[in-house]
Amino acid sequence: ERKNYFGGTFDGNGKTISGLHFSNLSPEHGFNFNSRFDRPGASNPNVGRYAFGFFGGIVGGIVKNLNISIDANIKTVCPIAYNENGSPSQQTFFGAVAGYAHSSETSKFEIDNVTVSGTINTIARVGGVVGALSDGIIKNTTNRANINVTFVEGQSVFSYGEAGGIVCWARTYTPVDDRVPFASGRVFVAELKNCTNEGNIHTANGSAVGIVAATSVNANMKLKYVDCKNTGTLSSSSPNPQEGTGTLLGPRYSSVPSYIPHIDFGGLTNETTRNG
């Protein structure tokens, strides 16, 4: 596993990175950004939340003026982790630009003027641009990649296959390693500004959402949208009736009463449908 992250500025100067290919997402190649399972004596002591992408992890870094053409056909992901009660979870996150991102104590994470195109086929959680976002801003960014999530017995876990055109999950993740800078005791904000999903998204194991698939927000974690839209086709065949489709946020999370005060849709309408 890797604990190294990118914290500088990557200016693509309008150039395109093409042929970016992923097939095997194994722990030794992933950025381990958070896990309550990654402890001695845990049922799976080496299984954490692992992030994969052009950058596995970004902490306080900036990526701008970049086009990525991706060809991801992911057939292997990290081992299944188990909660204390024995229930399974699949904590592999993929994003074309970054698997995971948050701001540092001194620098705000930022993606600006980035376009993703191509195809992403996977069997776990995926964001067209970022897999998991704790704090920072993604702006003036478009996903044109078509995303498809399938269920594979022995690797996938029920309802752990959410797909977002821009971000899969927005929530706080406290790093397990003190070498990863993390400013605690403040309000975190995941902001999406002038972001568009044009890709077609389908998942057989979660919600298919134009902008952010899933979130967990509270008084210390906010989710904010400004001028975001979806024009791609969204579909979910998940057997979970809580899952479905959403233009801005998945239906499983957008209607949670305790979440509503901490989500700013910026006057936009979040159209959702539920399966079943």
Side-chain angles (χ1 to χ4, degrees), residues 10-78:
F10 187 96
D11 189 343
N13 292 311
K15 300 294 195 302
T16 298
I17 296 173
S18 60
L20 190 62
H21 181 72
F22 293 85
S23 59
N24 173 29
L25 306 185
S26 56
E28 60 267 27
H29 300 128
F31 177 70
N32 184 3
F33 64 94
N34 166 272
S35 179
R36 59 198 175 104
F37 310 107
D38 192 14
R39 300 287 188 274
S43 58
N44 287 35
N46 296 317
V47 176
R49 286 189 171 103
Y50 289 94
F52 301 82
F54 181 66
F55 295 102
I58 300 178
V59 178
I62 298 171
V63 179
K64 60 183 180 179
N65 307 322
L66 178 66
N67 304 304
I68 291 181
S69 176
I70 190 167
D71 175 22
N73 190 19
I74 298 164
K75 297 181 178 180
T76 304
V77 293
C78 297

Short mmCIF file of all heavy atoms in Angstrom, two decimals, residues 10-78:
data_model
loop_
_atom_site.label_atom_id
_atom_site.label_comp_id
_atom_site.label_asym_id
_atom_site.label_seq_id
_atom_site.Cartn_x
_atom_site.Cartn_y
_atom_site.Cartn_z
N PHE A 10 -0.45 20.58 -10.50
CA PHE A 10 -0.28 19.92 -11.79
C PHE A 10 -1.08 20.70 -12.82
O PHE A 10 -2.31 20.65 -12.83
CB PHE A 10 -0.76 18.47 -11.72
CG PHE A 10 -0.46 17.66 -12.96
CD1 PHE A 10 0.67 16.86 -13.02
CD2 PHE A 10 -1.31 17.69 -14.05
CE1 PHE A 10 0.95 16.12 -14.16
CE2 PHE A 10 -1.04 16.96 -15.19
CZ PHE A 10 0.09 16.17 -15.25
N ASP A 11 -0.40 21.44 -13.68
CA ASP A 11 -1.03 22.23 -14.73
C ASP A 11 -0.83 21.51 -16.05
O ASP A 11 0.29 21.42 -16.56
CB ASP A 11 -0.41 23.63 -14.78
CG ASP A 11 -1.17 24.58 -15.71
OD1 ASP A 11 -1.96 24.09 -16.55
OD2 ASP A 11 -0.97 25.80 -15.60
N GLY A 12 -1.92 21.01 -16.60
CA GLY A 12 -1.84 20.27 -17.86
C GLY A 12 -1.68 21.15 -19.08
O GLY A 12 -1.45 20.63 -20.18
N ASN A 13 -1.83 22.46 -18.91
CA ASN A 13 -1.68 23.40 -20.03
C ASN A 13 -2.55 23.03 -21.22
O ASN A 13 -2.17 23.23 -22.38
CB ASN A 13 -0.21 23.48 -20.46
CG ASN A 13 0.66 24.13 -19.41
OD1 ASN A 13 0.34 25.19 -18.89
ND2 ASN A 13 1.76 23.47 -19.06
N GLY A 14 -3.72 22.45 -20.93
CA GLY A 14 -4.66 22.12 -21.99
C GLY A 14 -4.35 20.84 -22.74
O GLY A 14 -5.05 20.48 -23.69
N LYS A 15 -3.30 20.13 -22.34
CA LYS A 15 -2.91 18.89 -23.02
C LYS A 15 -3.80 17.73 -22.59
O LYS A 15 -4.54 17.80 -21.60
CB LYS A 15 -1.45 18.56 -22.70
CG LYS A 15 -0.45 19.62 -23.11
CD LYS A 15 -0.38 19.76 -24.62
CE LYS A 15 0.88 20.53 -25.05
NZ LYS A 15 0.97 21.89 -24.47
N THR A 16 -3.71 16.64 -23.36
CA THR A 16 -4.51 15.45 -23.10
C THR A 16 -3.62 14.27 -22.73
O THR A 16 -2.64 13.98 -23.43
CB THR A 16 -5.36 15.06 -24.32
OG1 THR A 16 -6.27 16.13 -24.61
CG2 THR A 16 -6.15 13.79 -24.07
N ILE A 17 -3.96 13.58 -21.63
CA ILE A 17 -3.34 12.30 -21.29
C ILE A 17 -4.26 11.23 -21.84
O ILE A 17 -5.41 11.11 -21.40
CB ILE A 17 -3.17 12.15 -19.77
CG1 ILE A 17 -2.21 13.21 -19.24
CG2 ILE A 17 -2.67 10.76 -19.42
CD1 ILE A 17 -2.11 13.25 -17.74
N SER A 18 -3.80 10.46 -22.80
CA SER A 18 -4.65 9.46 -23.44
C SER A 18 -4.16 8.05 -23.14
O SER A 18 -3.00 7.83 -22.77
CB SER A 18 -4.68 9.69 -24.96
OG SER A 18 -3.38 9.60 -25.50
N GLY A 19 -5.06 7.10 -23.28
CA GLY A 19 -4.71 5.70 -23.07
C GLY A 19 -4.48 5.34 -21.62
O GLY A 19 -3.79 4.35 -21.33
N LEU A 20 -5.02 6.10 -20.68
CA LEU A 20 -4.87 5.78 -19.26
C LEU A 20 -5.66 4.51 -18.96
O LEU A 20 -6.89 4.49 -19.08
CB LEU A 20 -5.35 6.95 -18.41
CG LEU A 20 -5.05 6.90 -16.92
CD1 LEU A 20 -3.55 6.89 -16.66
CD2 LEU A 20 -5.70 8.08 -16.20
N HIS A 21 -4.97 3.46 -18.56
CA HIS A 21 -5.60 2.14 -18.45
C HIS A 21 -5.47 1.59 -17.03
O HIS A 21 -4.42 1.69 -16.41
CB HIS A 21 -4.95 1.16 -19.44
CG HIS A 21 -5.55 -0.21 -19.40
ND1 HIS A 21 -6.80 -0.49 -19.90
CD2 HIS A 21 -5.06 -1.37 -18.92
CE1 HIS A 21 -7.07 -1.77 -19.73
NE2 HIS A 21 -6.03 -2.33 -19.13
N PHE A 22 -6.58 1.01 -16.55
CA PHE A 22 -6.59 0.34 -15.24
C PHE A 22 -7.31 -0.98 -15.39
O PHE A 22 -8.33 -1.06 -16.07
CB PHE A 22 -7.31 1.19 -14.19
CG PHE A 22 -6.63 2.48 -13.84
CD1 PHE A 22 -6.83 3.62 -14.61
CD2 PHE A 22 -5.79 2.55 -12.74
CE1 PHE A 22 -6.21 4.81 -14.29
CE2 PHE A 22 -5.16 3.74 -12.41
CZ PHE A 22 -5.37 4.87 -13.19
N SER A 23 -6.80 -2.02 -14.71
CA SER A 23 -7.48 -3.32 -14.75
C SER A 23 -7.47 -4.02 -13.40
O SER A 23 -8.43 -4.67 -13.03
CB SER A 23 -6.83 -4.23 -15.81
OG SER A 23 -5.46 -4.44 -15.52
N ASN A 24 -6.37 -3.87 -12.63
CA ASN A 24 -6.22 -4.58 -11.36
C ASN A 24 -5.98 -3.57 -10.24
O ASN A 24 -4.93 -2.94 -10.20
CB ASN A 24 -5.05 -5.57 -11.45
CG ASN A 24 -4.75 -6.21 -10.11
OD1 ASN A 24 -5.63 -6.38 -9.28
ND2 ASN A 24 -3.50 -6.58 -9.90
N LEU A 25 -6.97 -3.41 -9.36
CA LEU A 25 -6.84 -2.48 -8.24
C LEU A 25 -6.52 -3.29 -6.98
O LEU A 25 -7.40 -3.73 -6.25
CB LEU A 25 -8.13 -1.68 -8.05
CG LEU A 25 -8.66 -0.94 -9.28
CD1 LEU A 25 -9.87 -0.09 -8.91
CD2 LEU A 25 -7.58 -0.09 -9.93
N SER A 26 -5.23 -3.48 -6.72
CA SER A 26 -4.81 -4.28 -5.58
C SER A 26 -4.25 -3.39 -4.48
O SER A 26 -3.74 -2.30 -4.75
CB SER A 26 -3.75 -5.31 -6.01
OG SER A 26 -2.65 -4.66 -6.62
N PRO A 27 -4.34 -3.80 -3.21
CA PRO A 27 -3.93 -2.95 -2.09
C PRO A 27 -2.51 -2.42 -2.19
O PRO A 27 -2.24 -1.28 -1.79
CB PRO A 27 -4.09 -3.87 -0.88
CG PRO A 27 -5.13 -4.85 -1.27
CD PRO A 27 -4.91 -5.08 -2.75
N GLU A 28 -1.58 -3.21 -2.71
CA GLU A 28 -0.19 -2.76 -2.75
C GLU A 28 0.01 -1.58 -3.69
O GLU A 28 1.02 -0.89 -3.61
CB GLU A 28 0.74 -3.91 -3.15
CG GLU A 28 0.46 -4.52 -4.51
CD GLU A 28 -0.46 -5.72 -4.43
OE1 GLU A 28 -1.27 -5.79 -3.49
OE2 GLU A 28 -0.35 -6.58 -5.32
N HIS A 29 -0.95 -1.32 -4.57
CA HIS A 29 -0.85 -0.20 -5.49
C HIS A 29 -1.78 0.95 -5.12
O HIS A 29 -1.77 1.98 -5.79
CB HIS A 29 -1.17 -0.66 -6.92
CG HIS A 29 -0.25 -1.72 -7.42
ND1 HIS A 29 -0.69 -2.90 -7.96
CD2 HIS A 29 1.11 -1.80 -7.42
CE1 HIS A 29 0.34 -3.65 -8.30
NE2 HIS A 29 1.44 -3.00 -7.97
N GLY A 30 -2.58 0.78 -4.08
CA GLY A 30 -3.58 1.78 -3.74
C GLY A 30 -3.12 2.74 -2.65
O GLY A 30 -2.24 2.42 -1.85
N PHE A 31 -3.74 3.91 -2.63
CA PHE A 31 -3.51 4.89 -1.57
C PHE A 31 -4.46 4.56 -0.42
O PHE A 31 -5.68 4.70 -0.56
CB PHE A 31 -3.75 6.31 -2.09
CG PHE A 31 -3.61 7.38 -1.04
CD1 PHE A 31 -2.37 7.70 -0.51
CD2 PHE A 31 -4.72 8.08 -0.58
CE1 PHE A 31 -2.24 8.69 0.45
CE2 PHE A 31 -4.60 9.07 0.38
CZ PHE A 31 -3.36 9.37 0.90
N ASN A 32 -3.92 4.11 0.70
CA ASN A 32 -4.75 3.73 1.85
C ASN A 32 -5.06 4.99 2.65
O ASN A 32 -4.24 5.47 3.41
CB ASN A 32 -4.02 2.71 2.70
CG ASN A 32 -4.88 2.21 3.86
OD1 ASN A 32 -6.04 2.57 3.99
ND2 ASN A 32 -4.31 1.37 4.69
N PHE A 33 -6.26 5.56 2.46
CA PHE A 33 -6.55 6.85 3.06
C PHE A 33 -7.34 6.79 4.34
O PHE A 33 -7.37 7.75 5.11
CB PHE A 33 -7.26 7.76 2.05
CG PHE A 33 -8.62 7.29 1.61
CD1 PHE A 33 -9.76 7.73 2.24
CD2 PHE A 33 -8.76 6.45 0.51
CE1 PHE A 33 -11.01 7.33 1.82
CE2 PHE A 33 -10.01 6.05 0.07
CZ PHE A 33 -11.14 6.49 0.73
N ASN A 34 -8.00 5.69 4.64
CA ASN A 34 -8.77 5.62 5.88
C ASN A 34 -9.29 4.22 6.08
O ASN A 34 -9.74 3.58 5.14
CB ASN A 34 -9.95 6.60 5.83
CG ASN A 34 -10.97 6.35 6.93
OD1 ASN A 34 -11.88 5.56 6.75
ND2 ASN A 34 -10.83 7.04 8.04
N SER A 35 -9.23 3.74 7.31
CA SER A 35 -9.88 2.47 7.60
C SER A 35 -9.93 2.18 9.08
O SER A 35 -8.92 2.24 9.76
CB SER A 35 -9.18 1.31 6.91
OG SER A 35 -9.83 0.11 7.23
N ARG A 36 -11.08 1.86 9.59
CA ARG A 36 -11.16 1.35 10.96
C ARG A 36 -10.86 -0.14 10.97
O ARG A 36 -10.77 -0.75 12.03
CB ARG A 36 -12.54 1.62 11.57
CG ARG A 36 -13.71 1.00 10.82
CD ARG A 36 -14.99 1.70 11.27
NE ARG A 36 -16.15 1.24 10.53
CZ ARG A 36 -17.06 0.42 11.01
NH1 ARG A 36 -16.92 -0.06 12.23
NH2 ARG A 36 -18.11 0.08 10.30
N PHE A 37 -10.73 -0.73 9.77
CA PHE A 37 -10.36 -2.14 9.68
C PHE A 37 -8.84 -2.31 9.70
O PHE A 37 -8.34 -3.39 9.96
CB PHE A 37 -10.92 -2.76 8.39
CG PHE A 37 -12.37 -2.49 8.18
CD1 PHE A 37 -12.79 -1.58 7.22
CD2 PHE A 37 -13.33 -3.13 8.94
CE1 PHE A 37 -14.13 -1.33 7.02
CE2 PHE A 37 -14.68 -2.87 8.75
CZ PHE A 37 -15.07 -1.96 7.79
N ASP A 38 -8.12 -1.26 9.38
CA ASP A 38 -6.67 -1.35 9.26
C ASP A 38 -6.02 -1.25 10.63
O ASP A 38 -5.31 -0.31 10.94
CB ASP A 38 -6.17 -0.25 8.33
CG ASP A 38 -4.72 -0.45 7.94
OD1 ASP A 38 -4.20 -1.56 8.15
OD2 ASP A 38 -4.12 0.50 7.42
N ARG A 39 -6.28 -2.22 11.45
CA ARG A 39 -5.79 -2.24 12.83
C ARG A 39 -5.34 -3.66 13.18
O ARG A 39 -5.93 -4.64 12.71
CB ARG A 39 -6.90 -1.83 13.81
CG ARG A 39 -7.45 -0.44 13.58
CD ARG A 39 -6.46 0.63 14.04
NE ARG A 39 -7.07 1.96 14.01
CZ ARG A 39 -7.11 2.73 12.94
NH1 ARG A 39 -6.59 2.32 11.81
NH2 ARG A 39 -7.67 3.93 12.99
N PRO A 40 -4.35 -3.81 14.05
CA PRO A 40 -3.96 -5.16 14.49
C PRO A 40 -5.14 -5.87 15.13
O PRO A 40 -5.89 -5.28 15.93
CB PRO A 40 -2.86 -4.88 15.51
CG PRO A 40 -2.31 -3.55 15.12
CD PRO A 40 -3.48 -2.77 14.61
N GLY A 41 -5.34 -7.10 14.77
CA GLY A 41 -6.42 -7.89 15.35
C GLY A 41 -7.73 -7.78 14.60
O GLY A 41 -8.67 -8.51 14.92
N ALA A 42 -7.81 -6.88 13.61
CA ALA A 42 -9.04 -6.80 12.82
C ALA A 42 -9.18 -8.05 11.97
O ALA A 42 -8.21 -8.76 11.70
CB ALA A 42 -9.01 -5.56 11.93
N SER A 43 -10.42 -8.32 11.56
CA SER A 43 -10.65 -9.55 10.80
C SER A 43 -9.85 -9.55 9.51
O SER A 43 -9.38 -10.58 9.06
CB SER A 43 -12.15 -9.69 10.49
OG SER A 43 -12.62 -8.57 9.77
N ASN A 44 -9.70 -8.40 8.89
CA ASN A 44 -8.86 -8.24 7.70
C ASN A 44 -7.87 -7.11 7.98
O ASN A 44 -8.07 -5.98 7.57
CB ASN A 44 -9.71 -7.88 6.47
CG ASN A 44 -10.51 -9.05 5.94
OD1 ASN A 44 -10.97 -9.87 6.71
ND2 ASN A 44 -10.66 -9.11 4.64
N PRO A 45 -6.77 -7.37 8.70
CA PRO A 45 -5.90 -6.29 9.15
C PRO A 45 -5.25 -5.50 8.04
O PRO A 45 -4.80 -4.38 8.26
CB PRO A 45 -4.85 -7.01 10.00
CG PRO A 45 -4.88 -8.42 9.52
CD PRO A 45 -6.29 -8.69 9.14
N ASN A 46 -5.18 -6.04 6.83
CA ASN A 46 -4.53 -5.33 5.73
C ASN A 46 -5.52 -4.69 4.77
O ASN A 46 -5.12 -4.19 3.72
CB ASN A 46 -3.62 -6.29 4.96
CG ASN A 46 -2.49 -6.81 5.83
OD1 ASN A 46 -1.90 -6.04 6.57
ND2 ASN A 46 -2.22 -8.09 5.75
N VAL A 47 -6.78 -4.72 5.10
CA VAL A 47 -7.79 -4.18 4.21
C VAL A 47 -8.24 -2.82 4.72
O VAL A 47 -8.71 -2.68 5.84
CB VAL A 47 -9.00 -5.12 4.08
CG1 VAL A 47 -10.07 -4.49 3.21
CG2 VAL A 47 -8.57 -6.45 3.48
N GLY A 48 -8.08 -1.80 3.92
CA GLY A 48 -8.52 -0.46 4.29
C GLY A 48 -9.36 0.14 3.20
O GLY A 48 -9.87 -0.56 2.33
N ARG A 49 -9.55 1.45 3.27
CA ARG A 49 -10.17 2.17 2.17
C ARG A 49 -9.05 2.55 1.21
O ARG A 49 -8.18 3.35 1.55
CB ARG A 49 -10.92 3.40 2.68
CG ARG A 49 -12.24 3.06 3.39
CD ARG A 49 -13.03 4.33 3.68
NE ARG A 49 -14.36 4.03 4.14
CZ ARG A 49 -14.74 4.10 5.42
NH1 ARG A 49 -13.88 4.46 6.34
NH2 ARG A 49 -15.97 3.82 5.76
N TYR A 50 -9.08 2.01 0.03
CA TYR A 50 -8.00 2.21 -0.93
C TYR A 50 -8.50 3.01 -2.12
O TYR A 50 -9.59 2.78 -2.63
CB TYR A 50 -7.45 0.87 -1.39
CG TYR A 50 -6.66 0.15 -0.33
CD1 TYR A 50 -7.26 -0.79 0.50
CD2 TYR A 50 -5.31 0.44 -0.14
CE1 TYR A 50 -6.53 -1.44 1.48
CE2 TYR A 50 -4.58 -0.21 0.85
CZ TYR A 50 -5.19 -1.15 1.64
OH TYR A 50 -4.47 -1.79 2.63
N ALA A 51 -7.66 3.94 -2.56
CA ALA A 51 -8.03 4.85 -3.64
C ALA A 51 -7.09 4.69 -4.82
O ALA A 51 -5.88 4.52 -4.66
CB ALA A 51 -7.98 6.29 -3.14
N PHE A 52 -7.68 4.79 -6.02
CA PHE A 52 -6.93 4.60 -7.26
C PHE A 52 -7.35 5.64 -8.28
O PHE A 52 -8.52 6.03 -8.34
CB PHE A 52 -7.19 3.20 -7.84
CG PHE A 52 -6.84 2.07 -6.92
CD1 PHE A 52 -7.73 1.67 -5.93
CD2 PHE A 52 -5.63 1.42 -7.04
CE1 PHE A 52 -7.41 0.63 -5.08
CE2 PHE A 52 -5.30 0.37 -6.19
CZ PHE A 52 -6.19 -0.02 -5.21
N GLY A 53 -6.41 6.06 -9.11
CA GLY A 53 -6.67 7.00 -10.19
C GLY A 53 -5.35 7.49 -10.75
O GLY A 53 -4.28 6.95 -10.43
N PHE A 54 -5.39 8.49 -11.63
CA PHE A 54 -4.16 9.08 -12.13
C PHE A 54 -3.30 9.52 -10.94
O PHE A 54 -2.09 9.29 -10.92
CB PHE A 54 -4.48 10.27 -13.04
CG PHE A 54 -3.27 10.93 -13.63
CD1 PHE A 54 -2.47 10.26 -14.54
CD2 PHE A 54 -2.93 12.23 -13.28
CE1 PHE A 54 -1.34 10.86 -15.09
CE2 PHE A 54 -1.80 12.85 -13.82
CZ PHE A 54 -1.00 12.16 -14.72
N PHE A 55 -3.94 10.14 -9.95
CA PHE A 55 -3.35 10.33 -8.63
C PHE A 55 -4.14 9.45 -7.67
O PHE A 55 -5.36 9.58 -7.58
CB PHE A 55 -3.44 11.78 -8.17
CG PHE A 55 -2.64 12.76 -9.00
CD1 PHE A 55 -3.27 13.56 -9.93
CD2 PHE A 55 -1.27 12.87 -8.84
CE1 PHE A 55 -2.55 14.46 -10.69
CE2 PHE A 55 -0.54 13.77 -9.59
CZ PHE A 55 -1.17 14.56 -10.53
N GLY A 56 -3.44 8.59 -6.92
CA GLY A 56 -4.16 7.79 -5.93
C GLY A 56 -4.77 8.68 -4.87
O GLY A 56 -5.96 8.59 -4.57
N GLY A 57 -3.96 9.58 -4.30
CA GLY A 57 -4.44 10.52 -3.29
C GLY A 57 -3.89 11.91 -3.53
O GLY A 57 -2.72 12.07 -3.90
N ILE A 58 -4.73 12.91 -3.34
CA ILE A 58 -4.31 14.31 -3.39
C ILE A 58 -4.67 14.95 -2.07
O ILE A 58 -5.82 14.88 -1.63
CB ILE A 58 -4.98 15.08 -4.54
CG1 ILE A 58 -4.66 14.46 -5.90
CG2 ILE A 58 -4.56 16.55 -4.52
CD1 ILE A 58 -5.34 15.15 -7.07
N VAL A 59 -3.69 15.58 -1.43
CA VAL A 59 -3.92 16.30 -0.19
C VAL A 59 -3.42 17.72 -0.37
O VAL A 59 -2.21 17.97 -0.44
CB VAL A 59 -3.21 15.62 1.01
CG1 VAL A 59 -3.44 16.43 2.28
CG2 VAL A 59 -3.72 14.20 1.19
N GLY A 60 -4.34 18.68 -0.46
CA GLY A 60 -3.97 20.07 -0.62
C GLY A 60 -3.38 20.41 -1.97
O GLY A 60 -2.80 21.48 -2.14
N GLY A 61 -3.52 19.53 -2.94
CA GLY A 61 -2.96 19.76 -4.26
C GLY A 61 -3.95 20.39 -5.22
O GLY A 61 -5.15 20.48 -4.95
N ILE A 62 -3.44 20.82 -6.37
CA ILE A 62 -4.25 21.46 -7.41
C ILE A 62 -3.98 20.76 -8.73
O ILE A 62 -2.82 20.54 -9.11
CB ILE A 62 -3.92 22.96 -7.54
CG1 ILE A 62 -4.23 23.70 -6.23
CG2 ILE A 62 -4.66 23.59 -8.71
CD1 ILE A 62 -3.74 25.14 -6.22
N VAL A 63 -5.05 20.41 -9.44
CA VAL A 63 -4.96 19.87 -10.79
C VAL A 63 -5.82 20.75 -11.69
O VAL A 63 -7.00 20.97 -11.40
CB VAL A 63 -5.44 18.40 -10.85
CG1 VAL A 63 -5.34 17.87 -12.28
CG2 VAL A 63 -4.63 17.52 -9.90
N LYS A 64 -5.25 21.25 -12.79
CA LYS A 64 -5.99 22.18 -13.63
C LYS A 64 -5.58 22.05 -15.10
O LYS A 64 -4.52 21.53 -15.44
CB LYS A 64 -5.77 23.62 -13.16
CG LYS A 64 -4.32 24.09 -13.19
CD LYS A 64 -4.19 25.51 -12.63
CE LYS A 64 -2.75 26.01 -12.65
NZ LYS A 64 -2.64 27.39 -12.12
N ASN A 65 -6.50 22.53 -15.96
CA ASN A 65 -6.24 22.63 -17.41
C ASN A 65 -5.77 21.30 -17.99
O ASN A 65 -4.74 21.21 -18.68
CB ASN A 65 -5.19 23.71 -17.68
CG ASN A 65 -5.56 25.04 -17.07
OD1 ASN A 65 -6.73 25.44 -17.05
ND2 ASN A 65 -4.57 25.76 -16.55
N LEU A 66 -6.53 20.25 -17.73
CA LEU A 66 -6.11 18.91 -18.11
C LEU A 66 -7.28 18.14 -18.74
O LEU A 66 -8.42 18.24 -18.28
CB LEU A 66 -5.60 18.15 -16.88
CG LEU A 66 -5.15 16.70 -17.08
CD1 LEU A 66 -3.93 16.63 -17.97
CD2 LEU A 66 -4.88 16.05 -15.73
N ASN A 67 -6.96 17.35 -19.77
CA ASN A 67 -7.91 16.42 -20.36
C ASN A 67 -7.37 15.00 -20.16
O ASN A 67 -6.18 14.75 -20.39
CB ASN A 67 -8.10 16.68 -21.86
CG ASN A 67 -8.52 18.10 -22.14
OD1 ASN A 67 -9.53 18.58 -21.63
ND2 ASN A 67 -7.74 18.80 -22.96
N ILE A 68 -8.24 14.10 -19.74
CA ILE A 68 -7.85 12.71 -19.56
C ILE A 68 -8.77 11.83 -20.39
O ILE A 68 -10.00 11.92 -20.28
CB ILE A 68 -7.92 12.28 -18.08
CG1 ILE A 68 -6.82 12.97 -17.27
CG2 ILE A 68 -7.81 10.77 -17.94
CD1 ILE A 68 -6.79 12.61 -15.81
N SER A 69 -8.18 11.00 -21.23
CA SER A 69 -8.92 10.00 -21.98
C SER A 69 -8.61 8.64 -21.36
O SER A 69 -7.47 8.18 -21.40
CB SER A 69 -8.50 10.01 -23.45
OG SER A 69 -9.17 8.98 -24.17
N ILE A 70 -9.61 8.02 -20.77
CA ILE A 70 -9.38 6.83 -19.95
C ILE A 70 -9.99 5.59 -20.58
O ILE A 70 -11.04 5.63 -21.23
CB ILE A 70 -9.95 7.05 -18.53
CG1 ILE A 70 -9.52 5.92 -17.59
CG2 ILE A 70 -11.48 7.20 -18.55
CD1 ILE A 70 -9.76 6.22 -16.13
N ASP A 71 -9.29 4.48 -20.39
CA ASP A 71 -9.78 3.17 -20.81
C ASP A 71 -9.59 2.23 -19.63
O ASP A 71 -8.55 1.58 -19.50
CB ASP A 71 -9.00 2.69 -22.04
CG ASP A 71 -9.38 1.27 -22.44
OD1 ASP A 71 -10.48 0.83 -22.08
OD2 ASP A 71 -8.56 0.60 -23.11
N ALA A 72 -10.57 2.19 -18.76
CA ALA A 72 -10.48 1.38 -17.55
C ALA A 72 -11.42 0.19 -17.65
O ALA A 72 -12.62 0.35 -17.88
CB ALA A 72 -10.82 2.21 -16.32
N ASN A 73 -10.86 -1.00 -17.50
CA ASN A 73 -11.66 -2.22 -17.50
C ASN A 73 -11.25 -3.01 -16.25
O ASN A 73 -10.46 -3.94 -16.31
CB ASN A 73 -11.41 -3.04 -18.77
CG ASN A 73 -12.38 -4.18 -18.91
OD1 ASN A 73 -13.44 -4.20 -18.28
ND2 ASN A 73 -12.03 -5.16 -19.73
N ILE A 74 -11.79 -2.59 -15.12
CA ILE A 74 -11.35 -3.07 -13.81
C ILE A 74 -12.06 -4.37 -13.46
O ILE A 74 -13.28 -4.40 -13.32
CB ILE A 74 -11.62 -2.00 -12.74
CG1 ILE A 74 -10.81 -0.73 -13.08
CG2 ILE A 74 -11.26 -2.53 -11.36
CD1 ILE A 74 -11.26 0.50 -12.34
N LYS A 75 -11.27 -5.42 -13.32
CA LYS A 75 -11.83 -6.75 -13.08
C LYS A 75 -11.44 -7.30 -11.70
O LYS A 75 -11.99 -8.31 -11.27
CB LYS A 75 -11.37 -7.72 -14.17
CG LYS A 75 -11.87 -7.33 -15.55
CD LYS A 75 -11.42 -8.33 -16.61
CE LYS A 75 -11.97 -7.96 -17.98
NZ LYS A 75 -11.54 -8.92 -19.03
N THR A 76 -10.47 -6.65 -11.05
CA THR A 76 -10.04 -7.08 -9.72
C THR A 76 -9.95 -5.87 -8.81
O THR A 76 -9.37 -4.85 -9.18
CB THR A 76 -8.66 -7.76 -9.78
OG1 THR A 76 -8.71 -8.85 -10.71
CG2 THR A 76 -8.26 -8.29 -8.41
N VAL A 77 -10.55 -5.96 -7.62
CA VAL A 77 -10.49 -4.87 -6.64
C VAL A 77 -9.96 -5.42 -5.33
O VAL A 77 -9.66 -6.60 -5.20
CB VAL A 77 -11.88 -4.21 -6.45
CG1 VAL A 77 -12.31 -3.49 -7.72
CG2 VAL A 77 -12.93 -5.23 -6.03
N CYS A 78 -9.82 -4.54 -4.33
CA CYS A 78 -9.25 -4.93 -3.04
C CYS A 78 -10.16 -5.93 -2.32
O CYS A 78 -11.37 -5.97 -2.56
CB CYS A 78 -9.03 -3.70 -2.19
SG CYS A 78 -7.83 -2.55 -2.89
#
